[in-house]
Amino acid sequence: MLEEISFIVGGPQGSGIETSAVVLTYAFARAGYGVLVDREYFSNIKGRHSYALFRVSSKRVPKALKYLTNMLVALDAETVFTHYKSLKDGGILVYDVGISLKKFDAIPSIEDELRSRLAKEFKDLGLDGTVESLANYLRSRKNVFVVGLDYSKVIEEFSKEASLKPHQASMYLSSIPTAAVTTLTGLRESALSFAYMRRFNDPKVVEENIKLSKVVANRVRRVYDFPPLLKNSEIGFNEVLVVSGNDVVAMGKVVGGLRYQAYYPITPAADESFTLETYSRFKVGDEYATVVVLQTEDEIAAITSAIGAALAGVRAATATSGPGFSLMVEGLGWAGMNEVPVVITYYQRGGPSTGLPTRGSQTDLLFTLFASHGEFPRIVIASGDHEEAFKDSIEIMNLTEKYQVPGIHLLDKFLANSLMTLTPPELSELRVDRGVVTEGGDNYLRFDMSKGPVSPRAFLGSNVIMYYTGDEHNEVGHISEDPINRINMYTKRMVKLELMSKEIPEDFLVRLYGDLDADVLLIGWGYVKGVALEVMDELSRGGDISCAYLHLRGFSPFPSRFVAEVLKAFEGKNVVALEHSYLAQLSKVIAMNTGFMIRKEIVKFTGRPMLVDEVLQALIKIVEGVSNREVLSLGE
Amino acid sequence: MLEEISFIVGGPQGSGIETSAVVLTYAFARAGYGVLVDREYFSNIKGRHSYALFRVSSKRVPKALKYLTNMLVALDAETVFTHYKSLKDGGILVYDVGISLKKFDAIPSIEDELRSRLAKEFKDLGLDGTVESLANYLRSRKNVFVVGLDYSKVIEEFSKEASLKPHQASMYLSSIPTAAVTTLTGLRESALSFAYMRRFNDPKVVEENIKLSKVVANRVRRVYDFPPLLKNSEIGFNEVLVVSGNDVVAMGKVVGGLRYQAYYPITPAADESFTLETYSRFKVGDEYATVVVLQTEDEIAAITSAIGAALAGVRAATATSGPGFSLMVEGLGWAGMNEVPVVITYYQRGGPSTGLPTRGSQTDLLFTLFASHGEFPRIVIASGDHEEAFKDSIEIMNLTEKYQVPGIHLLDKFLANSLMTLTPPELSELRVDRGVVTEGGDNYLRFDMSKGPVSPRAFLGSNVIMYYTGDEHNEVGHISEDPINRINMYTKRMVKLELMSKEIPEDFLVRLYGDLDADVLLIGWGYVKGVALEVMDELSRGGDISCAYLHLRGFSPFPSRFVAEVLKAFEGKNVVALEHSYLAQLSKVIAMNTGFMIRKEIVKFTGRPMLVDEVLQALIKIVEGVSNREVLSLGE
Amino acid sequence: MGSSQVNYRSGLWIDWCPGCGNYGIVAAVYQAFAELKLRPNEVVVVSGIGCSGKTPHFINANGVHTLHGRAIPFATGIKLANPHLKVVVHVGDGDLLGIGSAHFVALGRRNLDVKVIMHDNGVYGLTKGQASPTLKLGVKTKALPNANIQDAINPIALAIASGYTFVARSYAMNTQHLKEVLKKALEHKGAAFIDVLQPCVTFNDVYTVEYYNKRVYVLEEGWDPVVREGTEDEVRNKMLNALIKSMEWEDRIPIGVFYINPFKSTLEERLDQRFEGAYLKKPPAKQSISYEGKPLLSRDMFKEVFSRFFVEVEK
Amino acid sequence: MGSSQVNYRSGLWIDWCPGCGNYGIVAAVYQAFAELKLRPNEVVVVSGIGCSGKTPHFINANGVHTLHGRAIPFATGIKLANPHLKVVVHVGDGDLLGIGSAHFVALGRRNLDVKVIMHDNGVYGLTKGQASPTLKLGVKTKALPNANIQDAINPIALAIASGYTFVARSYAMNTQHLKEVLKKALEHKGAAFIDVLQPCVTFNDVYTVEYYNKRVYVLEEGWDPVVREGTEDEVRNKMLNALIKSMEWEDRIPIGVFYINPFKSTLEERLDQRFEGAYLKKPPAKQSISYEGKPLLSRDMFKEVFSRFFVEVEK
Ligand SMILES: Cc1ncc(C[n+]2csc(CCOP(=O)(O)OP(=O)(O)O)c2C)c(N)n1
Ligand SMILES: Cc1ncc(C[n+]2csc(CCOP(=O)(O)OP(=O)(O)O)c2C)c(N)n1
Ligand code: SF4
Ligand code: SF4
Ligand SMILES: [Mg+2]
Ligand SMILES: [Mg+2]
């Protein structure tokens, strides 16, 4: 019995793998485990390969995933071919013996590149290209325990048990992997029922799934009669949230008082707006709060209408990804010029251009810092995990309103789509700060320069009138080309950079995990946080190398002082940037702000998340002086 | 008699000042002088104040302008009020005595900010706010020679001389300043006739203007009977081009083989497309070359249609300014992903947002370097003067085609609109390099990785078919999400950064003017080149301080080695960045690439160009250790 | 006129060219606002970029001078956040039908209660006279190096095809007419579009005051653009009549209201329905979002709203 | 069919959902290309982003899979650079009429010889089923959390209002019909638009095959969409007929050609006229731009072309 396990459940997109992932997460959560799940899928609706990579722990909530898995549960042959290498020695393969004779080169959905790699690998291994030969190989050479089930037989049996017509029964096909997982891990039935109930809200569906699960369990046990893989959880949760990154951001927005969100559909941002729309009306006292969620004609309309709503006094945002943000750049500049607190929730995906639209990246940091022509201050923050994402989605509304600047909240596809068990947030610590708001009064000046860089803000519809323009303007908001007014008004805006730097707590913007006298410093931001912390832990368990991790959460304003101090402390030691990109953009941002050049890096740009084992290996190489730059490639 | 003079001709936009500027430039050019003219105007069609700031030299072509002028020639009262302070002690004011009693606070076109400054100034000086009182003040306190002409009398006399009806004669009003300038400077009549002929191509108009000019000359000489201001030119030109920055870029494009330009009108870029359209058909041998110039529905269509044309094998570009470029960012990324050589000619203007749309800036450097989501290589170069602009507009087509990357050619409004006398370019030194082009052949792969980062390019319509997609793709151009292909294809694109760094001559990307052991190093790019070089000269003439100037022309690839070496040589000395911006963005780019932090800067962001005298003063302050940052403000 | 005390002039110097049609437009706006007694703080005038884009600065009411082509989405956000505001959009023909036409179409589909007044001068005024999308094929106005090679859009037809429920044309030089049309549009519930023929004296030497004066005529008595019953057939017929009318141009150019359909629900109403009456009662701009500096949602309320995400661990 | 030797399938695995209407569309394309014997290297299939955006990859011809909403301007550049290419655009309804509608309108104004085939499925397929601009008001397809609060566009009317000279509708499940319409469009000279009703089996549970099968009918004999004389009156009447037809939907949905006007000049022709015949004779893509690695223009030629800028100094 293991304290924690990693496993993959895979099958064609649209075949129910997505549901399996959600149901399993609920089930493990119900049983008190800590769960983290990465969901990988093609830019495709049906037919291409998709999978969920799980890590489930009885001790804690995992912060990152591993490449090597204890279990590979395949709905189809493609899953076996695609992932066989990630199975640990001694792991378990669950597959459908009904497709044992399927050959990899007869599967059209496998991409050419993988197909030719497989051809080579199988040739090298002397395999004939069938699932069966691969399973045999795994069994004999890799010590893998192969659980071959005949899925059609399972369905046949289930259809009898449940008195369902064959075509009805076959709709439960994708529950087989789920059942195999619960059986092998030893998850109790009540947890599974709970999960199905939560997912489908229909006792009949639950009942039938439980029936199917029993059929599967019996058949699995016929071949695999060992104790269940996973120890009971010792974490001691009372309740948890099962949430994706998209979900927590939507929740944060609701809690933080967002009342207008405009969006144009795009992966991986759209689910957030979908969640928001689902919870767009809720009771507060004896009234209803409503959040207008508008699907616009494009991203230009999304950002500009959100700005309009912000001018009318509403907390307003849009959520998008790279291509959408690229279209919002002009609108962002207008908000900068007019000191409008509008929020862009930005989920990074694989670029450039359409890139890998359903995969992750961290390649848009420099872009967000300098997007739009001309100069104006902005808030740019990035969240490293679900908890930060929740809080940041609230805090960015506070900061943008307080300083009257636009704000960009960076996230990525990894976080957006990964499911986890999260401790429910402490709401009482949260705050809502709307900055200096006024109803106006005589001689109201929207861009009053007499009160410092932040002028009291009245909303359209208040007692006074006001003017806005994207042109340079005077205190009233009318166009002015006067050179002296230009200097004053421009400076009024720009000195907010200093103001924000001074006022926003350093410990919000950056945090050092570990000690200043560690041997190695990892530096990262966003979704490398989890993997960095786990690597740090593993190294500290190893004992030879001590490692610290500098986590950046704020980029504008940038915590230059703190970062420079840490880098100074690590001068002469190994300082390694970690990023899902080619350029390790954070290094450039640091150089620009501090003059420190970070010359070592571990990067990954396959669109798949960094995995603990590969980062560890890469880091060791760097520490050993074998290399200064490691490009990671694991995961399909 | 002076070797060179500076002067201003001003009047309401749309009243003929633009024509005066052009005519005077042609006239001085004809007489062999070196001329540089900055044209300043509001974002307005008629009525607001506009002016031309000239510098004319008998010794050389001026590289930059000065604040203090020898002459202020005013078509209206606003011009006198606006510019009186820039008149040198002992300078000449030409104005219309018909408006002597006009008060500054009765002129609605003067902006509030200037009006209240004037109120204060006049109060302090004890003036009553009329043109007359101001003229008296200038005469008595500033030693200014005031040439008051009665413009309506001039027109009356002229209408008799030329036998024109009064309303016809009054259409020549704006020729009065022109005539005053030629009279006072001693420019010969033949030069003026030439200029009018060139401008209007109508002997009748020329004849009448000469008549008017005589009327003016007589009246001027009645009050000002000194020798002409300006010495005869000693430069020895045979022929020169009289061109604006917009013009030279259009010429470069024609020469360099551009055959498609799509644009959406925007100041200060549109004039380039206009010039291009004017010269879009010309004879080459016995055939006609044609350049398709298309006004599109927006900038998104401009860049994407240019990309389309590039795919079909044509040298293609678009020209725009900040707001337009902000909209092109998504298209740029597609070109990056698909390795398309497309050129964006980018004229910077005052930002952010609509900003100061008819004024200049250098605030878009960081934006262009990182614009668009994801990572891809690009060429970014910037021109510092008309000559560079001509060459760069050709060279960027070569470089983008050679490396199959998109390219951005940075210019600005200062250069775009400034007129100068330019030595005609040496065409025989120019080259056209289309890179590796192929007709295809069997198994043609558009993104062939076997030949290094640059794959042979076939055009749509050649013998083979090809595929393009903004998604990550394989060698054929079909979508691929395979992680290994991803690494390879992504790396293929990105290593062009190194290739370009290695191959593009350093001396194209950067140049040091002056000596490595100078006391002070100025660093700049774009339109500060001229002012930097003039300041360097002035200092060297002064003798106390020796100064060098590091001029950056290329930013991507960035000449890191060279720049770092120069900065190393100047460590401990005064290193001062010069930029029309708030942030001195070049300093950040340098820090990012070299780790050197430049902590001193002279910046200007009023939208008006840096002037020699103010830069000199600011630099001396910095050298004296009084300040690290100087914000310039001169010029209206 | 004059019945209201408010002066709708902002007092700013107007820097349009002398003789520009825009003066007539802004004069009509002053009068219409005055006659409807609109309160300046409850009106938001939104504009794009162009000569027309300066309009809000000349009006004593809230003014939002936005980006080229984007006035409509800005207006959309303002209106949806606070549906009690009167939102009026002033835009150039290049702005609205060139770069902005995706938004123009989208507003029609939404029937949001926003009024769009297009300054139709056939050129890009502020960038010095390039062809706008209402300039006809082959026409060569002053500043063009060659004759126009793109055809004109029929704005009335496009508005009707897009779903606007109030579609009209007026003429900048007929302030009285324009004022009346404006008032009707302001009183209409839903997306309104007015195509205002606006001579640009500086760059358009083809569609001049003389040109229009010769051709423009007012749609009168016999012409009934209003959908009165709301049956599908009636709607279709009124639309078709309007479309046929919109095709007149060469010799006679009709001005007046082309089409009004008061039966279609507005976007605000649709939202209100979705929110079961909670939206119009207390729209976003009127909701308070915090209590003593803290979020409104307590832990319990949070759990209630997001119960689907909560899992009680089974011990 | 089969008369040509070329196989227009690219051989790539097609990853649309089983049963998707797109299969019918691409099948019709293969057939139309084959029957017209188009040479793959002279055809460019341009697409936007969406399920429909993948189309070029499945066709054995040049394929340019562009950006969401921007297929038309990409196609415009390709066609203008090399007017001898056949340029066909495949786009989704969200792509074309949502984010891309400014370009849709602009192409109509230009009448450039580009064919636009809209995959009209009422939803955003590839982003998992949001409402597209052709989904009617109040309809709630599978994936929507609430009923659609935006109204639908009438694509046929919009195309006609924008100036397309060939406007048709077909149905993905009637490959034969679609193929014929495609062939007509390909043979037409000028901007063509085909609205193809395309069931999305995964997300659109309202506009299903059954829905369409019940309602779709073919415009037959009596219906004459072609402008035959080119008089203004005739053009107007044909347009109006088409507009009236386009308003049919609820019970009966006509497919076929709605409008053809062969008289309007294309953008290529207008350019050729501007360039006095030099454009079509040797369009940009066919011009050489250098001689032995140097620009074509000698110093003298340069001076000749740009003589206006040269000033000989008077000694
Ligand atoms: C994105 C963008 N592109 C271009 C411009 C430049 N620009 C300023 S005004 C204008 C056109 C104005 O024409 P129109 O909309 O018809 O308004 P008008 O001046 O005629 O009232 C343009 C293209 C801009 N401001 N923003
Ligand atoms: C600028 C931009 N915004 C959003 C997206 C995300 N996106 C991908 S496909 C799609 C919609 C597809 O709908 P439609 O155009 O109707 O095509 P279909 O999938 O239905 O064929 C969207 C919005 C994108 N790729 N680019
Ligand atoms: S350019 Fe034309 S539209 Fe603009 S202000 Fe002048 S006359 Fe009016
Ligand atoms: S989602 Fe709809 S449109 Fe896309 S492939 Fe599937 S059925 Fe076709
Ligand atoms: Mg206009
Ligand atoms: Mg669709």
Side-chain angles (χ1 to χ4, degrees), chain B residues 564-575:
Chain B
E565 221 155 77
V566 172
L567 288 173
K568 212 167 170 69
F570 279 90
E571 251 178 337
K573 295 190 195 170
N574 274 304
V575 176

Side-chain angles (χ1 to χ4, degrees), chain A residues 45, chain D residues 15-17 20-22 51 121 123 125-126 198-203:
Chain A
I45 299 301
Chain D
D15 69 353
W16 288 319
C17 308
C20 174
N22 285 334
C51 294
N121 57 11
V123 293
L126 196 56
Q198 175 241 323
C200 166
V201 294
T202 302
F203 295 116

Side-chain angles (χ1 to χ4, degrees), chain B residues 26 29-32 188 190-191 194 198 236-243 247 250-251 254-260 275 277-298 300-302 304-315 330-331 334 338 390 394 401 424-434 459-471 477-479, chain D residues 8-10 12 15 39-44 46-47 49 53-82 85 99-100 102-107 109-110 126 267 271 274-315:
Chain B
Y26 275 123
R30 178 69 165 179
R188 53 194 117 130
S190 58
F194 168 85
R198 179 56 66 85
F237 280 135
N238 286 317
E239 63 180 6
V240 291
L241 289 170
V242 170
V243 280
D247 295 332
M251 289 173 172
V254 166
V255 171
L258 185 92
R259 290 296 176 266
Y260 184 88
T275 303
E277 185 167 333
T278 308
Y279 300 96
S280 60
R281 176 174 174 274
F282 53 92
K283 212 160 179 173
V284 184
D286 46 6
E287 283 186 337
Y288 280 93
T290 55
V291 185
V292 172
V293 180
L294 183 72
Q295 181 188 326
T296 52
E297 58 277 22
D298 60 17
I300 297 175
T304 52
S305 79
I307 294 171
L311 295 179
V314 165
R315 286 198 154 177
E330 195 198 9
W334 196 93
N338 284 284
F390 176 78
I394 300 167
E401 288 207 318
E426 215 26 270
L427 300 185
S428 59
E429 292 165 3
L430 301 173
R431 62 191 190 94
V432 172
D433 179 355
R434 304 213 60 186
F459 303 143
L460 292 175
S462 67
N463 294 331
V464 288
I465 69 160
M466 66 206 78
Y467 295 91
Y468 289 97
T469 171
D471 288 70
H478 285 313
I479 300 169
Chain D
Y8 292 93
R9 283 165 215 274
S10 72
L12 226 67
D15 69 353
R39 297 180 49 185
N41 63 327
E42 290 170 359
V43 175
V44 186
V46 184
S47 69
I49 299 281
K54 297 179 178 176
T55 307
H57 297 284
F58 307 142
I59 300 174
N60 175 28
N62 289 299
V64 184
H65 179 187
T66 73
L67 293 167
H68 191 48
R70 318 303 170 191
I72 286 178
F74 274 92
T76 300
I78 295 167
K79 182 75 185 177
L80 285 174
N82 189 348
L85 295 173
I99 191 167
H103 313 301
F104 178 65
V105 170
L107 179 58
R109 289 177 54 211
R110 299 195 178 116
L126 196 56
L267 186 64
L271 275 171
R274 173 189 291 179
F275 290 131
E276 300 171 21
Y279 172 69
L280 287 175
K281 199 169 150 207
K282 204 148 208 186
K286 302 292 177 195
Q287 298 172 32
S288 92
I289 58 164
S290 66
Y291 180 72
E292 297 186 345
K294 305 237 168 247
L296 292 179
L297 291 186
S298 66
R299 218 191 140 162
D300 287 350
M301 286 158 78
F302 179 80
K303 190 163 170 183
E304 199 182 310
V305 173
F306 295 110
S307 59
R308 189 166 69 81
F309 298 93
F310 274 81
V311 174
E312 314 233 347
V313 173
E314 196 180 67
K315 296 288 163 170

Side-chain angles (χ1 to χ4, degrees), chain A residues 264-265 299, chain B residues 330, chain D residues 50-52 68 93-95 121 123-127:
Chain A
Y264 188 73
E299 286 89 350
Chain B
E330 195 198 9
Chain D
C51 294
S52 46
H68 191 48
D93 42 7
D95 190 294
N121 57 11
V123 293
Y124 283 21
L126 196 56
T127 48

